[in-house]
Amino acid sequence: MKSIRVAVAAAAVGIALTACSSPMQAGAAAVVGKERISTSQLNKETDAYRAALKRNNLDETALGVPVTQYVLQRLADVSAARQLLARNNVQVTDKEIDAKLQDPGQYQSADINLLALGVAPSYAREYARTAVGMGKLQQQAGQGGLDKLRQDFAQIKTIFNPRFGVVNVNPTQENPSLFVDAGRFGKATPQQAQQPQQG
């Protein structure tokens, strides 16, 4: 597959995530730093997420963005966070993961809270591990170290497969999608930028 050039600016665990150019690996939905998110993994997690929404009588259209995009963003965020935690040798115990998974969050239900965050049940433990770890890392950094932490996070580059379109660097309420159509020559037209990309 040919090299691609993509610029991305997305919010991730409260820290800015940016992407640079790099060859896209065959069969990859995204490459995050040294980790590859395969299209098959994305499909599996998306199917699991849809099934969990259905079990909880939740309508996926309420997300406002295509389910695939919602899940892909979470997978990319978790991958980048996991790599940052490994760099800083942050350890998380099973007990801490279990406690995080019981957190009802703003929805007063641990299951609904995870679904609201784009986390399929099959990925819950991995998500909880990184969420707890990032909390520890932010606490260690303190207020004065958050800028450095953001810079370290931003160094973990993310490249999404161009089949999704280009990253929507200015999401709005009207167009909250992670991606917009790149258009015929790689530049989104105003009309295309207003319509969410179906995934």
Side-chain angles (χ1 to χ4, degrees):
M1 196 171 273
K2 295 180 180 177
S3 292
I4 61 166
R5 297 185 75 79
V6 177
V8 67
V13 199
I15 300 176
L17 168 67
T18 56
C20 70
S21 63
S22 175
M24 174 56 62
Q25 299 175 13
V31 176
V32 183
K34 297 178 181 178
E35 292 186 2
R36 175 182 178 271
I37 299 170
S38 69
T39 302
S40 62
Q41 179 189 7
L42 174 60
N43 292 340
K44 178 182 169 189
E45 295 298 335
T46 300
D47 289 346
Y49 184 72
R50 276 196 176 106
L53 287 174
K54 192 172 183 179
R55 273 194 311 276
N56 286 279
N57 298 315
L58 297 172
D59 181 5
E60 67 182 69
T61 60
L63 296 173
V65 297
V67 174
T68 303
Q69 291 184 19
Y70 207 61
V71 173
L72 178 57
Q73 181 65 68
R74 177 59 56 206
L75 291 172
D77 292 349
V78 169
S79 176
R82 182 173 47 240
Q83 292 174 67
L84 185 60
L85 296 174
R87 264 188 217 169
N88 288 276
N89 199 29
V90 176
Q91 303 298 315
V92 177
T93 67
D94 284 339
K95 188 175 180 180
E96 289 171 320
I97 293 170
D98 292 339
K100 181 67 176 174
L101 290 174
Q102 296 305 312
D103 182 1
Q106 70 184 58
Y107 298 98
Q108 303 307 306
S109 161
D111 291 342
I112 301 299
N113 192 49
L114 288 170
L115 290 173
L117 294 167
V119 179
S122 56
Y123 205 61
R125 289 196 72 77
E126 188 61 28
Y127 164 76
R129 180 183 306 281
T130 57
V132 171
M134 288 301 292
K136 286 183 174 184
L137 196 53
Q138 289 174 354
Q139 195 170 28
Q140 288 172 13
Q143 199 63 33
L146 287 180
D147 284 343
K148 172 73 165 62
L149 189 56
R150 286 185 186 96
Q151 290 170 6
D152 291 347
F153 194 93
Q155 288 176 356
I156 302 170
K157 305 301 179 188
T158 299
I159 301 151
F160 294 101
N161 190 315
R163 77 179 175 91
F164 296 110
V166 294
V167 173
N168 182 5
V169 295
N170 294 309
T172 62
Q173 190 170 359
E174 294 78 28
N175 183 19
S177 289
L178 176 59
F179 302 100
V180 292
D181 189 336
R184 185 172 172 197
F185 298 105
K187 185 174 182 183
T189 64
Q191 294 84 4
Q192 290 168 328
Q194 291 301 311
Q195 298 176 4
Q197 183 79 0
Q198 297 303 310

